[in-house]
Amino acid sequence: MSLNKAPKNHVFYRNQNWHYPKIVKGEGVYLYDENGKKYLDGCSGSAVANIGHGNKEVAEYVKEHVERIAFTHLSRWTVDSIENCAAKVAEWAPGDLNHVYFVSGGSESTETAIKMARQYFVERDGVSSSKWKVISKWNSFHGNTMGSLSMTGITGRRKIYDPMLINFPKIPQFYHYRNPWACETLEETSIKAAEALEAEIVRIGADNVAAFITEPVVGSAAPGVHPTKTYFEMVRAICHKYDVLLIVDEVMAGFGRTGKRFAMEHFGVVPDIITTAKGMSCGYTPMGACISSDKIFNTIMVEGSGHFVHGHTYAGNPLSCGIAHKVIEIMERDGFVENAATMGDYLMEKIQTLYKYPIVGDIRGKGLMIGIEFVKNQDTKEPFDPKKAVKGMLTNQCLEEGLVIYPGGGSVDGVRGDHCLIAPPVNITKEEVDELFASFEAGIKRTCKELGYEI
């Protein structure tokens, strides 16, 4: 039965059991509610508001662009802002990822990627091509549309929609803290996770597999989890061996979040497709993209039919493209990617001290994309009973301390497991990091006491 805590108005809120404080203003890394309370946005909404709130330069640009042109449809027109944004994204993307298909968000970008992968093989091999399956992983999140949810490996998000989803194959994640192979090192886990891909391709037949999709650093499903370079080196070779496209989901990790322009720079491998969104426009407009290699673009658009059978009304919206381009220019000009690396290292060093609290089980991440997993017992890694709702408890305690975190759960078995993501704006200062850490530690202390631990 619903707790009916949400405001009584005409909004269909996502969760009727949450009370939804009303935000009236955002400025820099802070949000302010209607009662005047200030919150440090320690998760950038959901790793979205990467350059913070209330950026005057972006606001002025939006006004100018709206007055000039708000909307054209990409099926008939092009606009300078669309072309300029695509050029800048291609410049940031690694290798030969030179072709940008704009969409409105992360789910659309991953959905676009699997359609692109399927059409690539149809254009190359003919309509009889049997390559259509997409291998993904457990403890992954790729979106909420039916295609992207079919790839998602969070059972809690899938259960009620299972009869409507494609039964895409899943393999284990490079989730070292709870790896199923009893590996002692992250390198060993990375190797085993890569070997699992080859085993699955062989099991279902390479002729049936179009693509493999993976996050480079895991977002909401197991925040901060990442492999060693060996994983992506092996995966790239496996995909080449079996004629499978490699799709890397950087919806959360892309555009500076991990201290690199794209997280794949940490691993030195170029995929066939990158999907991205969130930090691409930093929340100033809904925006996403599917970035493809020369090989895929040329096969479909130059040597093939020349027509990608796909489209959304707001794909390539000139205003959104212009805003995204302006945001990327600001990040580049002001050194925010480098700041994410520096402040990420600083914050990670401070957060390591939180192991002294009995509920902190694992800390992992890259740059300003840091995940913390909470457990009932540090030695056994036993998770809390979901009925205790520890993730909600921690969220509320941090809010009391003036800090917003990104909670999640189900990482152990789809039901059990509590964790959170710390992902503040990438322009955060050292003093603001200190404030974030102090509030986070205070929130953890309060949670420990509420759970009955002696601190």
mmCIF file with all atom_site columns, all heavy atoms in Angstrom, residues 435-450:
data_model
loop_
_atom_site.group_PDB
_atom_site.id
_atom_site.type_symbol
_atom_site.label_atom_id
_atom_site.label_alt_id
_atom_site.label_comp_id
_atom_site.label_asym_id
_atom_site.label_entity_id
_atom_site.label_seq_id
_atom_site.pdbx_PDB_ins_code
_atom_site.Cartn_x
_atom_site.Cartn_y
_atom_site.Cartn_z
_atom_site.occupancy
_atom_site.B_iso_or_equiv
_atom_site.pdbx_formal_charge
_atom_site.auth_seq_id
_atom_site.auth_comp_id
_atom_site.auth_asym_id
_atom_site.auth_atom_id
_atom_site.pdbx_PDB_model_num
ATOM 1   N N   . GLU A 1 435 ? 33.754 19.850 2.380  1.00 0.00 ? 435 GLU A N   1
ATOM 2   C CA  . GLU A 1 435 ? 32.401 19.978 2.919  1.00 0.00 ? 435 GLU A CA  1
ATOM 3   C C   . GLU A 1 435 ? 31.567 18.740 2.599  1.00 0.00 ? 435 GLU A C   1
ATOM 4   O O   . GLU A 1 435 ? 30.842 18.221 3.472  1.00 0.00 ? 435 GLU A O   1
ATOM 5   C CB  . GLU A 1 435 ? 31.736 21.220 2.333  1.00 0.00 ? 435 GLU A CB  1
ATOM 6   C CG  . GLU A 1 435 ? 30.321 21.464 2.834  1.00 0.00 ? 435 GLU A CG  1
ATOM 7   C CD  . GLU A 1 435 ? 29.665 22.651 2.140  1.00 0.00 ? 435 GLU A CD  1
ATOM 8   O OE1 . GLU A 1 435 ? 30.366 23.477 1.536  1.00 0.00 ? 435 GLU A OE1 1
ATOM 9   O OE2 . GLU A 1 435 ? 28.409 22.720 2.189  1.00 0.00 ? 435 GLU A OE2 1
ATOM 10  N N   . LEU A 1 436 ? 31.678 18.266 1.356  1.00 0.00 ? 436 LEU A N   1
ATOM 11  C CA  . LEU A 1 436 ? 30.948 17.053 0.951  1.00 0.00 ? 436 LEU A CA  1
ATOM 12  C C   . LEU A 1 436 ? 31.337 15.884 1.843  1.00 0.00 ? 436 LEU A C   1
ATOM 13  O O   . LEU A 1 436 ? 30.479 15.165 2.369  1.00 0.00 ? 436 LEU A O   1
ATOM 14  C CB  . LEU A 1 436 ? 31.250 16.736 -0.517 1.00 0.00 ? 436 LEU A CB  1
ATOM 15  C CG  . LEU A 1 436 ? 30.518 15.576 -1.203 1.00 0.00 ? 436 LEU A CG  1
ATOM 16  C CD1 . LEU A 1 436 ? 30.556 15.745 -2.720 1.00 0.00 ? 436 LEU A CD1 1
ATOM 17  C CD2 . LEU A 1 436 ? 31.109 14.214 -0.849 1.00 0.00 ? 436 LEU A CD2 1
ATOM 18  N N   . PHE A 1 437 ? 32.645 15.695 2.022  1.00 0.00 ? 437 PHE A N   1
ATOM 19  C CA  . PHE A 1 437 ? 33.116 14.560 2.816  1.00 0.00 ? 437 PHE A CA  1
ATOM 20  C C   . PHE A 1 437 ? 32.639 14.645 4.260  1.00 0.00 ? 437 PHE A C   1
ATOM 21  O O   . PHE A 1 437 ? 32.192 13.649 4.841  1.00 0.00 ? 437 PHE A O   1
ATOM 22  C CB  . PHE A 1 437 ? 34.637 14.460 2.776  1.00 0.00 ? 437 PHE A CB  1
ATOM 23  C CG  . PHE A 1 437 ? 35.171 13.375 3.666  1.00 0.00 ? 437 PHE A CG  1
ATOM 24  C CD1 . PHE A 1 437 ? 35.077 12.042 3.282  1.00 0.00 ? 437 PHE A CD1 1
ATOM 25  C CD2 . PHE A 1 437 ? 35.711 13.666 4.909  1.00 0.00 ? 437 PHE A CD2 1
ATOM 26  C CE1 . PHE A 1 437 ? 35.532 11.023 4.114  1.00 0.00 ? 437 PHE A CE1 1
ATOM 27  C CE2 . PHE A 1 437 ? 36.161 12.666 5.747  1.00 0.00 ? 437 PHE A CE2 1
ATOM 28  C CZ  . PHE A 1 437 ? 36.074 11.341 5.346  1.00 0.00 ? 437 PHE A CZ  1
ATOM 29  N N   . ALA A 1 438 ? 32.722 15.830 4.843  1.00 0.00 ? 438 ALA A N   1
ATOM 30  C CA  . ALA A 1 438 ? 32.305 15.997 6.237  1.00 0.00 ? 438 ALA A CA  1
ATOM 31  C C   . ALA A 1 438 ? 30.826 15.662 6.404  1.00 0.00 ? 438 ALA A C   1
ATOM 32  O O   . ALA A 1 438 ? 30.432 14.977 7.369  1.00 0.00 ? 438 ALA A O   1
ATOM 33  C CB  . ALA A 1 438 ? 32.581 17.426 6.701  1.00 0.00 ? 438 ALA A CB  1
ATOM 34  N N   . SER A 1 439 ? 30.012 16.101 5.459  1.00 0.00 ? 439 SER A N   1
ATOM 35  C CA  . SER A 1 439 ? 28.571 15.813 5.528  1.00 0.00 ? 439 SER A CA  1
ATOM 36  C C   . SER A 1 439 ? 28.297 14.330 5.303  1.00 0.00 ? 439 SER A C   1
ATOM 37  O O   . SER A 1 439 ? 27.426 13.743 5.954  1.00 0.00 ? 439 SER A O   1
ATOM 38  C CB  . SER A 1 439 ? 27.823 16.650 4.484  1.00 0.00 ? 439 SER A CB  1
ATOM 39  O OG  . SER A 1 439 ? 27.962 18.027 4.753  1.00 0.00 ? 439 SER A OG  1
ATOM 40  N N   . PHE A 1 440 ? 29.048 13.718 4.388  1.00 0.00 ? 440 PHE A N   1
ATOM 41  C CA  . PHE A 1 440 ? 28.851 12.302 4.100  1.00 0.00 ? 440 PHE A CA  1
ATOM 42  C C   . PHE A 1 440 ? 29.239 11.449 5.298  1.00 0.00 ? 440 PHE A C   1
ATOM 43  O O   . PHE A 1 440 ? 28.509 10.532 5.687  1.00 0.00 ? 440 PHE A O   1
ATOM 44  C CB  . PHE A 1 440 ? 29.667 11.911 2.864  1.00 0.00 ? 440 PHE A CB  1
ATOM 45  C CG  . PHE A 1 440 ? 29.403 10.519 2.363  1.00 0.00 ? 440 PHE A CG  1
ATOM 46  C CD1 . PHE A 1 440 ? 28.107 10.059 2.189  1.00 0.00 ? 440 PHE A CD1 1
ATOM 47  C CD2 . PHE A 1 440 ? 30.449 9.677  2.041  1.00 0.00 ? 440 PHE A CD2 1
ATOM 48  C CE1 . PHE A 1 440 ? 27.861 8.769  1.709  1.00 0.00 ? 440 PHE A CE1 1
ATOM 49  C CE2 . PHE A 1 440 ? 30.224 8.401  1.562  1.00 0.00 ? 440 PHE A CE2 1
ATOM 50  C CZ  . PHE A 1 440 ? 28.930 7.946  1.401  1.00 0.00 ? 440 PHE A CZ  1
ATOM 51  N N   . GLU A 1 441 ? 30.374 11.763 5.901  1.00 0.00 ? 441 GLU A N   1
ATOM 52  C CA  . GLU A 1 441 ? 30.797 11.017 7.084  1.00 0.00 ? 441 GLU A CA  1
ATOM 53  C C   . GLU A 1 441 ? 29.774 11.179 8.207  1.00 0.00 ? 441 GLU A C   1
ATOM 54  O O   . GLU A 1 441 ? 29.426 10.205 8.889  1.00 0.00 ? 441 GLU A O   1
ATOM 55  C CB  . GLU A 1 441 ? 32.165 11.485 7.552  1.00 0.00 ? 441 GLU A CB  1
ATOM 56  C CG  . GLU A 1 441 ? 32.662 10.698 8.757  1.00 0.00 ? 441 GLU A CG  1
ATOM 57  C CD  . GLU A 1 441 ? 34.076 11.041 9.165  1.00 0.00 ? 441 GLU A CD  1
ATOM 58  O OE1 . GLU A 1 441 ? 34.549 12.150 8.835  1.00 0.00 ? 441 GLU A OE1 1
ATOM 59  O OE2 . GLU A 1 441 ? 34.707 10.202 9.838  1.00 0.00 ? 441 GLU A OE2 1
ATOM 60  N N   . ALA A 1 442 ? 29.267 12.395 8.380  1.00 0.00 ? 442 ALA A N   1
ATOM 61  C CA  . ALA A 1 442 ? 28.256 12.619 9.418  1.00 0.00 ? 442 ALA A CA  1
ATOM 62  C C   . ALA A 1 442 ? 26.990 11.815 9.126  1.00 0.00 ? 442 ALA A C   1
ATOM 63  O O   . ALA A 1 442 ? 26.363 11.259 10.044 1.00 0.00 ? 442 ALA A O   1
ATOM 64  C CB  . ALA A 1 442 ? 27.930 14.104 9.503  1.00 0.00 ? 442 ALA A CB  1
ATOM 65  N N   . GLY A 1 443 ? 26.606 11.725 7.843  1.00 0.00 ? 443 GLY A N   1
ATOM 66  C CA  . GLY A 1 443 ? 25.436 10.934 7.456  1.00 0.00 ? 443 GLY A CA  1
ATOM 67  C C   . GLY A 1 443 ? 25.633 9.457  7.736  1.00 0.00 ? 443 GLY A C   1
ATOM 68  O O   . GLY A 1 443 ? 24.711 8.761  8.179  1.00 0.00 ? 443 GLY A O   1
ATOM 69  N N   . ILE A 1 444 ? 26.844 8.952  7.497  1.00 0.00 ? 444 ILE A N   1
ATOM 70  C CA  . ILE A 1 444 ? 27.147 7.547  7.787  1.00 0.00 ? 444 ILE A CA  1
ATOM 71  C C   . ILE A 1 444 ? 27.114 7.295  9.293  1.00 0.00 ? 444 ILE A C   1
ATOM 72  O O   . ILE A 1 444 ? 26.577 6.281  9.758  1.00 0.00 ? 444 ILE A O   1
ATOM 73  C CB  . ILE A 1 444 ? 28.514 7.158  7.184  1.00 0.00 ? 444 ILE A CB  1
ATOM 74  C CG1 . ILE A 1 444 ? 28.409 7.101  5.652  1.00 0.00 ? 444 ILE A CG1 1
ATOM 75  C CG2 . ILE A 1 444 ? 28.986 5.809  7.731  1.00 0.00 ? 444 ILE A CG2 1
ATOM 76  C CD1 . ILE A 1 444 ? 29.723 6.831  4.955  1.00 0.00 ? 444 ILE A CD1 1
ATOM 77  N N   . LYS A 1 445 ? 27.676 8.216  10.066 1.00 0.00 ? 445 LYS A N   1
ATOM 78  C CA  . LYS A 1 445 ? 27.632 8.083  11.532 1.00 0.00 ? 445 LYS A CA  1
ATOM 79  C C   . LYS A 1 445 ? 26.193 8.004  12.032 1.00 0.00 ? 445 LYS A C   1
ATOM 80  O O   . LYS A 1 445 ? 25.839 7.151  12.868 1.00 0.00 ? 445 LYS A O   1
ATOM 81  C CB  . LYS A 1 445 ? 28.328 9.277  12.187 1.00 0.00 ? 445 LYS A CB  1
ATOM 82  C CG  . LYS A 1 445 ? 29.832 9.226  12.227 1.00 0.00 ? 445 LYS A CG  1
ATOM 83  C CD  . LYS A 1 445 ? 30.358 10.449 12.977 1.00 0.00 ? 445 LYS A CD  1
ATOM 84  C CE  . LYS A 1 445 ? 31.867 10.464 13.054 1.00 0.00 ? 445 LYS A CE  1
ATOM 85  N NZ  . LYS A 1 445 ? 32.370 11.670 13.746 1.00 0.00 ? 445 LYS A NZ  1
ATOM 86  N N   . ARG A 1 446 ? 25.354 8.890  11.539 1.00 0.00 ? 446 ARG A N   1
ATOM 87  C CA  . ARG A 1 446 ? 23.953 8.914  11.947 1.00 0.00 ? 446 ARG A CA  1
ATOM 88  C C   . ARG A 1 446 ? 23.260 7.614  11.561 1.00 0.00 ? 446 ARG A C   1
ATOM 89  O O   . ARG A 1 446 ? 22.430 7.084  12.320 1.00 0.00 ? 446 ARG A O   1
ATOM 90  C CB  . ARG A 1 446 ? 23.241 10.103 11.306 1.00 0.00 ? 446 ARG A CB  1
ATOM 91  C CG  . ARG A 1 446 ? 23.732 11.453 11.784 1.00 0.00 ? 446 ARG A CG  1
ATOM 92  C CD  . ARG A 1 446 ? 23.148 12.591 10.958 1.00 0.00 ? 446 ARG A CD  1
ATOM 93  N NE  . ARG A 1 446 ? 21.710 12.696 11.134 1.00 0.00 ? 446 ARG A NE  1
ATOM 94  C CZ  . ARG A 1 446 ? 21.085 13.793 11.551 1.00 0.00 ? 446 ARG A CZ  1
ATOM 95  N NH1 . ARG A 1 446 ? 21.794 14.877 11.861 1.00 0.00 ? 446 ARG A NH1 1
ATOM 96  N NH2 . ARG A 1 446 ? 19.777 13.812 11.670 1.00 0.00 ? 446 ARG A NH2 1
ATOM 97  N N   . THR A 1 447 ? 23.606 7.080  10.384 1.00 0.00 ? 447 THR A N   1
ATOM 98  C CA  . THR A 1 447 ? 22.998 5.823  9.922  1.00 0.00 ? 447 THR A CA  1
ATOM 99  C C   . THR A 1 447 ? 23.439 4.664  10.805 1.00 0.00 ? 447 THR A C   1
ATOM 100 O O   . THR A 1 447 ? 22.629 3.798  11.157 1.00 0.00 ? 447 THR A O   1
ATOM 101 C CB  . THR A 1 447 ? 23.368 5.564  8.453  1.00 0.00 ? 447 THR A CB  1
ATOM 102 O OG1 . THR A 1 447 ? 22.937 6.673  7.656  1.00 0.00 ? 447 THR A OG1 1
ATOM 103 C CG2 . THR A 1 447 ? 22.705 4.300  7.942  1.00 0.00 ? 447 THR A CG2 1
ATOM 104 N N   . CYS A 1 448 ? 24.724 4.629  11.150 1.00 0.00 ? 448 CYS A N   1
ATOM 105 C CA  . CYS A 1 448 ? 25.223 3.574  12.038 1.00 0.00 ? 448 CYS A CA  1
ATOM 106 C C   . CYS A 1 448 ? 24.470 3.589  13.366 1.00 0.00 ? 448 CYS A C   1
ATOM 107 O O   . CYS A 1 448 ? 24.058 2.532  13.878 1.00 0.00 ? 448 CYS A O   1
ATOM 108 C CB  . CYS A 1 448 ? 26.722 3.763  12.291 1.00 0.00 ? 448 CYS A CB  1
ATOM 109 S SG  . CYS A 1 448 ? 27.783 3.328  10.898 1.00 0.00 ? 448 CYS A SG  1
ATOM 110 N N   . LYS A 1 449 ? 24.271 4.764  13.907 1.00 0.00 ? 449 LYS A N   1
ATOM 111 C CA  . LYS A 1 449 ? 23.556 4.874  15.186 1.00 0.00 ? 449 LYS A CA  1
ATOM 112 C C   . LYS A 1 449 ? 22.108 4.444  15.048 1.00 0.00 ? 449 LYS A C   1
ATOM 113 O O   . LYS A 1 449 ? 21.558 3.757  15.922 1.00 0.00 ? 449 LYS A O   1
ATOM 114 C CB  . LYS A 1 449 ? 23.648 6.311  15.693 1.00 0.00 ? 449 LYS A CB  1
ATOM 115 C CG  . LYS A 1 449 ? 25.042 6.703  16.146 1.00 0.00 ? 449 LYS A CG  1
ATOM 116 C CD  . LYS A 1 449 ? 25.102 8.152  16.596 1.00 0.00 ? 449 LYS A CD  1
ATOM 117 C CE  . LYS A 1 449 ? 26.512 8.547  17.019 1.00 0.00 ? 449 LYS A CE  1
ATOM 118 N NZ  . LYS A 1 449 ? 26.617 9.974  17.403 1.00 0.00 ? 449 LYS A NZ  1
ATOM 119 N N   . GLU A 1 450 ? 21.479 4.819  13.938 1.00 0.00 ? 450 GLU A N   1
ATOM 120 C CA  . GLU A 1 450 ? 20.079 4.421  13.728 1.00 0.00 ? 450 GLU A CA  1
ATOM 121 C C   . GLU A 1 450 ? 19.957 2.907  13.608 1.00 0.00 ? 450 GLU A C   1
ATOM 122 O O   . GLU A 1 450 ? 18.948 2.321  14.003 1.00 0.00 ? 450 GLU A O   1
ATOM 123 C CB  . GLU A 1 450 ? 19.528 5.111  12.471 1.00 0.00 ? 450 GLU A CB  1
ATOM 124 C CG  . GLU A 1 450 ? 18.027 4.888  12.258 1.00 0.00 ? 450 GLU A CG  1
ATOM 125 C CD  . GLU A 1 450 ? 17.464 5.672  11.094 1.00 0.00 ? 450 GLU A CD  1
ATOM 126 O OE1 . GLU A 1 450 ? 18.165 6.534  10.535 1.00 0.00 ? 450 GLU A OE1 1
ATOM 127 O OE2 . GLU A 1 450 ? 16.281 5.424  10.741 1.00 0.00 ? 450 GLU A OE2 1
#
